């Protein structure tokens, strides 16, 4: 599932390339798009299911700096899901398919008071959808 | 009332100077610091008074671009307050007292559902404090 | 010329709506897109013409806060151009065509050392294109 | 070496806590402060030594979300340095010394054209300073 977006001027820093922190934000964009493409609307999760999926860990390896005006594509997969912990893996690609960066984000499931939620029991629909997306 | 802060690397863009949008964020930092120095804790306003002060207008004029590592000082004043509308004015200064930028932010008062609040009636303390800060 | 984009989660703040500083960044996105749609590639301007168009003033009026997940459309026009100063005007619209915000950004033309450039003389192509875009 | 800073309103997201991407920016603030406290001015490195230290990898584990108004302290150490690769480790602490997050950033050394530089040979001063800071 590819998510494409253009590099913005305000995302660069004085090195002339995209500031490394922005890739973490791109992961979020790609993750939300990936879920939506797969029938999971994060807005609905928060507003109707009263569930949040905070990030508990993130990592990124940078190969080549993206530049202002570049179109980057981000490939997202779910590489771990056990009902409690969910890991997304990302590959950021240039237009000519060079890998610019790779990374992961790890999430848990909490209610609006940040208390852990066992979605296998309490949100069977979401649980089943995420199970079906887990890459084998 | 001077608020000082150092320019961060991630605030620059590929022009080599601070991205113009960050001055709007600095205004927020300076405004919150200005209020705190004058006995108004914005955290208390939101959490205890259940009041928010959203920005309804903002403007900024840029003279010279601040650079990474610079220490900038931001001078804040209240230049209008009538119980409904509140205007802060800012001057961003370099270490050698050159004006880097000037601007204003205009705020209203709303409850947690974004409904307008007449603080003259409902938050007399805040109303009086803000009145006393209004620059003549 | 409409530029559409989706509101990102990381653009919200604890009020639950988009932080006001991000509209200034959206103006940049819309402006660059507007220029590209009209045959002016800002990347080319910087890299080949060795010209920059820094922001010398910006303002924004906020009517209703955009929320995470919203699709916003930004309409951009050139409302002043005299060879030295260039003003873009923006209207941010919701999907049902409500005005969320309006604003302007004012630009000058400088070389890579931030020295003023008279584009009427030195960049006739750019000058003519901008003239043709000026809204009457 | 402790670096302290206050959590800004614009750093929060609609979950009500600091957006996770901002910790990566705090690491940068803490790293630059750590170097300065130890006699390495990153501005001098870029401007006089014509050397950059781009981030090639970053990771962060989040325990508890920092909130607007919190004072956070960031402890920085150098945990690996071999002349080619440099790793900083960070611990973000709350005011009552709870660990909010931990992470690392990995850097290399390049010239202004992003070509690798062997600082052991070409920047003996910087090499020796970094060696002396490496935590045993």
């Amino acid at each position: 599932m590819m998510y494409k977006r253009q590099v913005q001027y305000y995302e660069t820093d004085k090195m002339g390339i995209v500031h490394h922190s922005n890739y973490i934000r791109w992961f979020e964009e790609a993750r939300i798009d990936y879920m939506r493409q797969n029938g999971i609307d994060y807005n609905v999760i928060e507003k109707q299911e009263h569930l949040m999926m905070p990030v508990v860990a993130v990592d990124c390896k940078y190969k080549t700096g993206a530049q202002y005006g570049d179109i980057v594509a981000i490939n997202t997969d779910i590489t771990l899901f056990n009902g409690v912990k969910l890991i997304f893996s990302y590959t950021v690609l240039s237009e000519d398919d060079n890998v610019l960066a790779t990374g992961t984000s790890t999430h848990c499931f909490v209610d609006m008071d940040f208390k852990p939620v066992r979605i296998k029991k309490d949100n069977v629909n979401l649980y089943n959808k995420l199970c079906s997306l887990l890459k084998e």
Side-chain angles (χ1 to χ4, degrees), chain A:
Chain A
M1 194 70 63
M2 276 296 180
Y3 171 73
K4 286 196 179 187
R5 53 105 76 214
Q6 188 154 29
V7 175
Q8 301 302 330
Y9 201 90
Y10 61 77
E11 295 177 320
T12 61
D13 67 19
K14 71 191 285 286
M15 268 192 207
I17 55 174
V18 171
H19 191 269
H20 58 282
S21 63
N22 290 315
Y23 291 74
I24 309 300
R25 299 184 171 191
W26 294 357
F27 290 171
E28 182 181 278
E29 292 185 28
R31 171 170 75 245
I32 284 171
D33 184 71
Y34 169 89
M35 292 197 288
R36 186 170 35 220
Q37 301 275 356
N38 286 291
I40 304 170
D41 183 337
Y42 187 67
N43 230 339
V44 170
I45 290 187
E46 281 203 358
K47 283 187 183 162
Q48 292 177 24
E49 315 277 342
H50 305 292
L51 201 69
M52 300 189 291
M53 292 169 46
V55 175
V56 295
V58 79
D59 67 86
C60 186
K61 285 187 173 43
Y62 307 88
K63 311 261 198 275
T64 312
Q67 299 196 32
Y68 158 65
D70 288 357
I71 308 285
V72 296
I74 304 170
N75 190 46
T76 304
D77 286 308
I78 291 179
T79 47
L80 184 150
F81 176 60
N82 60 13
V84 176
K85 199 199 258 190
L86 173 64
I87 299 183
F88 292 91
S89 296
Y90 312 93
T91 307
V92 183
L93 296 159
S94 67
E95 274 195 285
D96 47 1
D97 267 339
N98 283 317
V99 175
L100 301 176
T102 59
T104 73
S105 65
T106 307
H107 302 256
C108 65
F109 302 88
V110 299
D111 66 17
M112 302 321 264
D113 298 317
F114 290 93
K115 297 228 174 74
V117 172
R118 295 229 151 227
I119 66 165
K120 187 174 183 173
K121 227 184 80 192
D122 297 336
N123 292 69
V124 182
N125 267 347
L126 179 58
Y127 176 80
N128 286 338
K129 266 188 199 159
L130 289 172
C131 281
S132 73
L133 292 173
L134 178 57
K135 211 184 179 179
E136 289 167 27

